[in-house]
C-alpha cells in the first residue's frame, strides 16, 4: 500500500514524555479523505492511553481524537467532501459496518470492535492507528464529519469527543425542557455537558470539588453549583435529578450521587473505567428504581447531529490554545484539574 511520512507527536513508553516522531499515513483510497490538521483537542483519554492507565498500550502512542482541519485530497469515489472543505474526525475511524450496532448507527458499540482513531488496529498499513497530534490524517469519508462554518474552528475541536460523549447520554435519556441534569466534575467533558444540557433546555447543576470553579460554572450556564465535599450541600440536593453525567476520571464513591437522583433517575458514568471502590449500595437503587449506567462517545450520525445543533446554537468549547511543544506541561496541569476548560493544540506549531 502506498504511504507517506508525516510529523507527529507521541511517546514510546508509559513513563516517557511526548516528543516529535515520524509516522506513516496511507495514500488516499477511493473513499478516503486526506485532512490537513489545523487543531486538535487534548482529552484526558489521551493521557490515560499515553501512560497505559487502561492496561498496556501499543507504542508509540500518538494521541488526539478531537481533530479539525481542511481537506487536501479526496479519493475518486468521495462524494461528501471536496478539497478545501472543513472536516473533522472524532474518536472513531472505522467499524465493522454490518453488526446489529453498526446497522443502528451505533458504531461506538460495534460488536466486532470499532477502530479507534489512535491505538486501534490499522487495517490498511498494519500495526495500530495514530491520532491527531500529527500533520495529516487519512480517513474513510463515512467517518469524517462536517463542521458548521460559523463555529470558531479551534473551539469546535473538543466537540468531537467532549461534546459527543456528553451529548449522547443527554439524548439517550431524553433530556429536554423540564429535565433536571447534574454534571460531576468541571473539566473538558463536564463543561460541554453543562453547555449542551443547557442548550437542550434543562435545569443544570454542577458537582465539583473545586470551589474556585463555581463562578465559571455559572457563567458556562449552570443554574447551581454543589461542592461535593460539603455534606450539607450534598444533602440539600437529595432526590433532585433525572440524569447525572459523571465525568470524573478516577475511582470515587458513586453512592452520594445516587442519593441525589429522583425516582427513575439515572447516573451515567462516562469518566472512570474500572471496578468501583467503594461498592455500590443497591438499597437506594432498588427503593427508587434508580439506574447506574455507562456510555461511550457517540455514533457518527449522532456526532453530526450534535455538530449541527452546536452550529445552530453557537455552542463551542472554552479553550486554551497551546503549542504541541507544551503538551507535556498541559498533561501535568490536566492531572491537577487545572484546565479551563480544554487545551487545544494549534497544529501549526508542529509544522514549523
Ligand atoms: P478533565 O478535563 O481532566 O476533567 C475531569 C474533571 O474531573 C476535573 O476537572 C475535576 O473537576 C474532576 N476530577 C479530577 N480528578 C478527580 C478526582 N480524583 N476525584 C474527583 N473529581 C476529580 O478530563 P476530561 O477530558 O473531561 O475526561 C474525563 C474522563 O472521561 C477521563 O477519564 C476520560 O478518559 C473519560 N472520557 C470518556 C469518554 C467516553 O466515551 N466515555 C470520552 C472521553 C473521555 P472538579 O475540579 O470540578 O472536581
Ligand atoms: Zn476523548
Amino acid at each position: 500500500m502506498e504511504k507517506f511520512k508525516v510529523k507527529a507527536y507521541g511517546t514510546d513508553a508509559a513513563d516517557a514524555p511526548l516528543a516529535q516522531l515520524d509516522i506513516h499515513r496511507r495514500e488516499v483510497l477511493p473513499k478516503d479523505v486526506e485532512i490537513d490538521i489545523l487543531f486538535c483537542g487534548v482529552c484526558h483519554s489521551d493521557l490515560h492511553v499515553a501512560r497505559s492507565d487502561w492496561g498496556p498500550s501499543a507504542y508509540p502512542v500518538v494521541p488526539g481524537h478531537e481533530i479539525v482541519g481542511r481537506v487536501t485530497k479526496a479519493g475518486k469515489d468521495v462524494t461528501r467532501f471536496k478539497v478545501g472543505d472543513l472536516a473533522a474526525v472524532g474518536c472513531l475511524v472505522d467499524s465493522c459496518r454490518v453488526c446489529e450496532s453498526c446497522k443502528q448507527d451505533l458504531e461506538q458499540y460495534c460488536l466486532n470492535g470499532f477502530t479507534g482513531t489512535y491505538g486501534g488496529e490499522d487495517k490498511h498499513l498494519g500495526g495500530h492507528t495514530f491520532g491527531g497530534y500529527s500533520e495529516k490524517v487519512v480517513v474513510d469519508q463515512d467517518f469524517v464529519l462536517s463542521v458548521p462554518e460559523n463555529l470558531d474552528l479551534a473551539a469546535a475541536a473538543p466537540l468531537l469527543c467532549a461534546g459527543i460523549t456528553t451529548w449522547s447520554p443527554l439524548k439517550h435519556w431524553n433530556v429536554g425542557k423540564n429535565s433536571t441534569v447534574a454534571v460531576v466534575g468541571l473539566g473538558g467533558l463536564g463543561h460541554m455537558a453543562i453547555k449542551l444540557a443547557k442548550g437542550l433546555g434543562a435545569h443544570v447543576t454542577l458537582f465539583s470539588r473545586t470551589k474556585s470553579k463555581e463562578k465559571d460554572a455559572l457563567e458556562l450556564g449552570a443554574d447551581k453549583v454543589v461542592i461535593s465535599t460539603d455534606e450539607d450541600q450534598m444533602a440539600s440536593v437529595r432526590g433532585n435529578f433525572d440524569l447525572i453525567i459523571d465525568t470524573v476520571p478516577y475511582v470515587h464513591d458513586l453512592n452520594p450521587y445516587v442519593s441525589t437522583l429522583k425516582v427513575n433517575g439515572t447516573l451515567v458514568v462516562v469518566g472512570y473505567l474500572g471496578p468501583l471502590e467503594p461498592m455500590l449500595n443497591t438499597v437506594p437503587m432498588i427503593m427508587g428504581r434508580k439506574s447506574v449506567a455507562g456510555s461511550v462517545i457517540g455514533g457518527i450520525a449522532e456526532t453530526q447531529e450534535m455538530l449541527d445543533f452546536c452550529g445552530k446554537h453557537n455552542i463551542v468549547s472554552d479553550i486554551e490554545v497551546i503549542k504541541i511543544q507544551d503538551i507535556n506541561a498541559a498533561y501535568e496541569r490536566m492531572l491537577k484539574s487545572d484546565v479551563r476548560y480544554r487545551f487545544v493544540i494549534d497544529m501549526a506549531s508542529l509544522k514549523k
Side-chain angles (χ1 to χ4, degrees), residues 43-46 65-66 91 118 161-162 165 189 297 342:
C43 181
H44 207 110
S45 304
D46 298 353
H65 56 207
E66 294 183 338
C91 307
Y118 57 83
C161 175
T165 301
L189 267 56
I297 46 176
R342 197 64 146 184

Side-chain angles (χ1 to χ4, degrees), residues 42-45 48 54 65 161 165 184-190 206-210 213 247-252 269-272 295-297 334 337 339 341-342:
V42 179
C43 181
H44 207 110
S45 304
H48 287 310
W54 292 333
H65 56 207
C161 175
T165 301
V184 189
L186 190 60
L189 267 56
L206 171 73
F207 286 111
S208 176
R209 303 163 304 166
T210 311
K213 290 182 183 173
T247 75
V248 172
Y250 299 98
V251 69
H252 59 289
V269 179
V270 295
Y272 169 68
S295 180
V296 76
I297 46 176
M334 194 148 68
S337 303
V339 188
Y341 280 90
R342 197 64 146 184

